[in-house]
Amino acid sequence: METLYLAIVLAPLLGAIVAGLFGRQVGRVGAHSVTTAGVALSFVLSLVVFWYHAMAGGAIHNETVYTWLVSDGIRFEIGFLVDNLTAMMMLVVTFVSLMVHVYTIGYMRDDPGYQRFFALISLFTFSMLMLVMANNFLQLFFGWEAVGLVSYLLIGFWFKRPSAIYANMKAFIVNRVGDFAFVLGIGAVVFHTASLDYMEVFAQADTMADATISILPGSEWSLLTVACILLFIGAMAKSAQVPLHVWLPDSMEGPTPISALIHAATMVTAGIFMVARVSPLYEYSVVALSFILIIGAITAFFMGLIGLVQNDIKRVVAYSTLSQLGYMTVALGASAYAAGIFHLTTHAFFKALLFLAAGSVIMALHHEQDMRRMGGLRKYMPITYVTALIGSLALIGFPGFSGFFSKDGIIEAVHMSSIPGASLAYVLILAGVFVTALYTFRMFFMVFHGEERFRQASGMDHGHGGHEDDHGHGHGHGGTPQESPWVVTVPLILLAIPSVLAGYFVGPLLFGDFFAEALYVDESRDVLAMLGEGYHGVLGHMVHGVMMPPFWLAMAGLGTAWFVYMKRPDLAQRARDTLPWAYNILDRKYGFDEFNDAVFAGGARRLGEWLWRFGDTLLIDTVIVNGSARAVGWVSGRLRLGQTGYLYHYAFAMIIGLLVLILAFAL
């Protein structure tokens, strides 16, 4: 099996190397062929692994591939831990990545960086696979940093555009903040356990819970709580939780395929997976769980509200991702790890579907992204329309679609949780259901229904529209929109299938023993087990769901969106005029960007300017460099006066020196 696991990881890496280093030699067809084939091979082998572990009951694989070094008894190794959790993540990552690879063939066909883009998305897949298959914190950290690096390169793929450079630098810096805490968390774990291996660390979780650490004089903190919170701060940046969420909306500066890959299956899911993987540690710290629960609930509700005022189609979907990541985080905080991973899985399918459908619309409108310049596309793009509808219904949790099963599981789990903060979290995520339905179908109706605004003469403020014109496409619509080519529509159709069907595995995934050996939950907090006592099959689950508040809130949000944006579009403008302060707060994204620019970025620039003026110009240039030169010149100038070149002057100096020595010894 080890050879099989190596093939899954190395196939995308090989494709990335060929396309990246030999792109000119193999050409465009060669680049997309070798990378797509590599990811396709990984997907097929991941299917085999999933069948072996999930269906055939195969034993957990936990082996070291090789040892890098041993230092003071701590082993730095590369190895694989493959259980049901890993097998599911491998399947999700490779499937979504394969769909993105195929989609990219059509979407990026005119881009001059075609080979480079395929090399990077294939490298992205390799990095994420290394992360999810790791059996130790060293390899986890390698994959963690690798996905961060590749995301930096992909967000700034169009590097000639200042906004793209700003966005990728923002993502890089924010993630470095989280990664600093993440490294400290790993260091705290190694400090106590003297090991990087998951199983060895988990075996010492109870002793870590009893250990304390003095951070401030006179105060003792639980070592395990500190380590868990530090690890989660790393996850806050990677999985875009408040306040380290600010990079994710700006990642829309990258091409749409990478938006789908980042938001659906790779980078942002890394933090969710990490917390679930180290659940044996988190279960010993209620403080850490409560912290996670509250942060996730705040993100889920308040980031969803921002989606209501966005006009860029990709940014609406981006803020939806932020909100849904909040739901996953809430599940982790409620000890419902399986519910968080289940929602991660279903979300990967329907969110990738929505991003790629948005990209299909953008292509049809010659890379226009402003929803105010869309409308009436249903009859021109039937495949995109139907698949986008499926993705939208899955996102809002409509009965029968995957999101219904996964999101309802989270909400009910939080409702039953006794973790401090669970009551507040329940209210926020319940209200978030209405918000999700409202912004989702606001987008859907504005894009596919109503009047055909794309035919109107330009002159409207584009907002964030029209960003993706760097590969030969102008803003002018130049004719009737047409359905996208098959390389775009086939991935949409294939993603629409699990967006509907994935939820029907709710029984074994949430209430069964699918994750029994991969996730650890304290029996006193096992809310999913409590929910499972009332589970009576998929049909019974659906019947129960339509009688619960989340369903009616979702329908209220859908109905409100239909009435406001289809029947009375003037109401949206009236609401904006009536509550300008509320609109302004949401439009400014609660001021996070302004605060960061003024305090952190601006403060860093001011500090750098001060250091330049005082340290570099005054201290180094004036005092040290130029000052030392002037001092040497002054001293040498004085010493030079004694160098006359006359022999009797030197003899006289020697006599004076000799007399001084004699007097010194005589006295």
Side-chain angles (χ1 to χ4, degrees):
M1 291 296 288
E2 184 175 301
T3 303
L4 184 68
Y5 301 136
L6 282 171
I8 292 173
V9 169
L10 296 179
L13 177 62
L14 178 62
I17 292 173
V18 172
L21 299 182
F22 307 102
R24 290 186 178 180
Q25 288 81 358
V26 301
R28 289 177 170 244
V29 174
H32 74 235
S33 297
V34 69
T35 52
T36 305
V39 174
L41 176 61
S42 291
F43 170 63
V44 172
L45 296 180
S46 295
L47 276 174
V48 174
V49 170
F50 185 81
W51 177 86
Y52 173 75
H53 286 279
M55 306 300 179
I60 295 175
H61 177 89
N62 183 19
E63 298 291 340
T64 298
V65 177
Y66 72 90
T67 300
W68 179 33
L69 62 88
V70 179
S71 176
D72 196 24
I74 300 176
R75 303 180 67 84
F76 295 79
E77 300 173 331
I78 300 298
F80 298 139
L81 169 60
V82 183
D83 52 18
N84 284 359
L85 173 61
T86 306
M88 173 170 282
M89 289 297 298
M90 290 165 62
L91 192 62
V92 170
V93 170
T94 54
F95 175 69
V96 174
S97 180
L98 178 59
M99 295 301 99
V100 170
H101 274 70
V102 175
Y103 179 94
T104 302
I105 297 173
Y107 192 87
M108 300 291 287
R109 64 184 184 275
D110 299 323
D111 197 283
Y114 190 83
Q115 293 96 316
R116 176 166 57 94
F117 189 82
F118 272 98
L120 289 174
I121 59 175
S122 192
L123 186 62
F124 210 168
T125 307
F126 158 75
S127 303
M128 191 63 185
L129 287 171
M130 285 292 287
L131 189 155
V132 301
M133 295 174 68
N135 72 345
N136 61 83
F137 284 98
L138 173 68
Q139 187 174 330
L140 172 73
F141 184 70
F142 166 78
W144 194 269
E145 292 302 310
V147 294
L149 171 63
V150 181
S151 69
Y152 165 81
L153 297 173
L154 284 165
I155 294 170
F157 181 77
W158 289 319
F159 54 84
K160 294 182 180 179
R161 198 168 62 207
S163 57
I165 299 303
Y166 174 82
N168 74 347
M169 187 60 68
K170 189 175 184 179
F172 188 83
I173 292 173
V174 172
N175 275 278
R176 296 295 72 73
V177 173
D179 291 351
F180 179 69
F182 188 64
V183 170
L184 291 178
I186 294 176
V189 170
V190 176
F191 169 76
H192 181 81
T193 64
S195 176
L196 287 163
D197 184 83
Y198 286 156
M199 295 306 166
E200 293 180 11
V201 170
F202 297 162
Q204 301 182 56
D206 54 346
T207 61
M208 282 186 69
D210 297 329
T212 60
I213 185 173
S214 179
I215 299 177
L216 299 174
S219 64
E220 294 292 327
W221 295 62
S222 167
L223 174 64
L224 185 65
T225 296
V226 171
C228 287
I229 290 177
L230 288 171
L231 290 173
F232 178 67
I233 292 174
M236 285 171 63
K238 199 68 71 181
S239 295
Q241 298 297 288
V242 173
L244 300 180
H245 67 283
V246 293
W247 67 271
L248 192 59
D250 288 333
S251 69
M252 297 301 96
E253 291 294 333
T256 297
I258 194 52
S259 299
L261 199 56
I262 289 177
H263 286 241
T266 53
M267 184 169 175
V268 298
T269 63
I272 306 299
F273 167 80
M274 183 274 295
V275 174
R277 171 56 77 196
V278 299
S279 58
L281 300 184
Y282 280 95
E283 282 301 289
Y284 282 93
S285 176
V286 176
V287 174
L289 291 175
S290 181
F291 179 70
I292 294 171
L293 185 69
I294 293 171
I295 291 293
I298 291 172
T299 304
F301 178 69
F302 288 100
M303 292 302 105
L305 288 177
I306 299 179
L308 294 173
V309 301
Q310 296 297 306
N311 293 312
D312 184 319
I313 185 173
K314 286 176 62 178
R315 286 181 180 264
V316 175
V317 186
Y319 279 102
S320 169
T321 299
L322 281 170
S323 180
Q324 297 308 305
L325 286 168
Y327 277 92
M328 299 174 208
T329 303
V330 165
L332 301 176
S335 291
Y337 304 100
I341 294 298
F342 186 34
H343 195 52
L344 181 157
T345 302
T346 60
H347 176 265
F349 299 133
F350 62 72
K351 187 51 60 68
L353 173 59
L354 285 172
F355 263 115
L356 298 187
S360 178
V361 169
I362 293 169
M363 288 177 63
L365 297 181
H366 299 269
H367 293 261
E368 174 63 68
Q369 295 179 214
D370 194 326
M371 297 188 302
R372 294 170 296 182
R373 302 183 62 84
M374 298 180 185
L377 294 176
R378 176 180 57 173
K379 63 182 179 181
Y380 302 109
M381 308 181 70
I383 298 177
T384 302
Y385 171 78
V386 172
T387 54
L389 177 60
I390 291 173
S392 299
L393 291 173
L395 174 57
I396 71 170
F398 192 83
F401 292 79
S402 60
F404 168 80
F405 299 99
S406 59
K407 187 183 289 186
D408 273 25
I410 293 174
I411 295 172
E412 289 302 310
V414 173
H415 191 204
M416 298 187 67
S417 175
S418 60
I419 299 290
S423 298
L424 172 64
Y426 178 71
V427 172
L428 290 177
I429 62 175
L430 199 59
V433 173
F434 174 82
V435 175
T436 299
L438 182 55
Y439 69 66
T440 300
F441 274 89
R442 168 183 178 263
M443 174 184 67
F444 184 78
F445 291 137
M446 288 182 69
V447 172
F448 293 103
H449 291 270
E451 62 176 316
E452 299 175 357
R453 296 180 299 277
F454 58 84
R455 297 190 184 277
Q456 298 173 1
S458 62
M460 181 184 293
D461 174 23
H462 280 247
H464 294 286
H467 283 323
E468 302 194 359
D469 59 344
D470 289 49
H471 41 281
H473 297 282
H475 285 293
H477 295 157
T480 301
Q482 296 180 352
E483 184 60 271
S484 299
W486 70 267
V487 289
V488 171
T489 55
V490 167
L492 295 180
I493 296 170
L494 294 178
L495 283 166
I497 296 172
S499 295
V500 177
L501 300 180
Y504 290 89
F505 295 95
V506 61
L509 292 180
L510 284 195
F511 311 121
D513 58 355
F514 185 83
F515 292 119
E517 297 181 324
L519 303 174
Y520 171 74
V521 182
D522 189 288
E523 291 184 1
S524 64
R525 292 192 293 271
D526 196 350
V527 289
L528 291 180
M530 302 176 196
L531 287 174
E533 295 174 0
Y535 177 72
H536 301 292
V538 172
L539 184 59
H541 189 73
M542 292 176 62
V543 171
H544 174 74
V546 297
M547 296 185 293
M548 299 302 290
F551 169 75
W552 295 107
L553 285 169
M555 294 305 98
L558 192 159
T560 302
W562 173 82
F563 182 75
V564 172
Y565 295 98
M566 292 295 295
K567 295 298 182 181
R568 293 288 304 278
D570 60 296
L571 289 179
Q573 185 61 44
R574 288 175 59 184
R576 176 177 174 176
D577 295 338
T578 304
L579 300 171
W581 58 270
Y583 178 85
N584 189 46
I585 289 174
L586 296 178
D587 189 50
R588 294 171 58 185
K589 310 172 186 67
Y590 306 113
F592 277 105
D593 287 339
E594 296 170 8
F595 177 80
N596 290 331
D597 288 341
V599 177
F600 292 108
R605 284 194 297 268
R606 287 190 293 272
L607 176 62
E609 183 179 356
W610 182 84
L611 290 174
W612 170 70
R613 292 185 181 280
F614 176 78
D616 188 61
T617 304
L618 179 61
L619 184 62
I620 297 177
D621 287 350
T622 304
V623 178
I624 298 178
V625 178
N626 296 331
S628 61
R630 283 194 294 269
V632 170
W634 183 85
V635 172
S636 62
R638 298 299 179 272
L639 293 175
R640 187 178 59 189
L641 297 176
Q643 305 298 318
T644 63
Y646 293 112
L647 183 61
Y648 61 87
H649 285 171
Y650 301 145
F652 181 73
M654 293 173 63
I655 293 171
I656 296 299
L658 181 62
L659 289 174
V660 171
L661 289 174
I662 292 172
L663 289 173
F665 281 105
L667 297 176

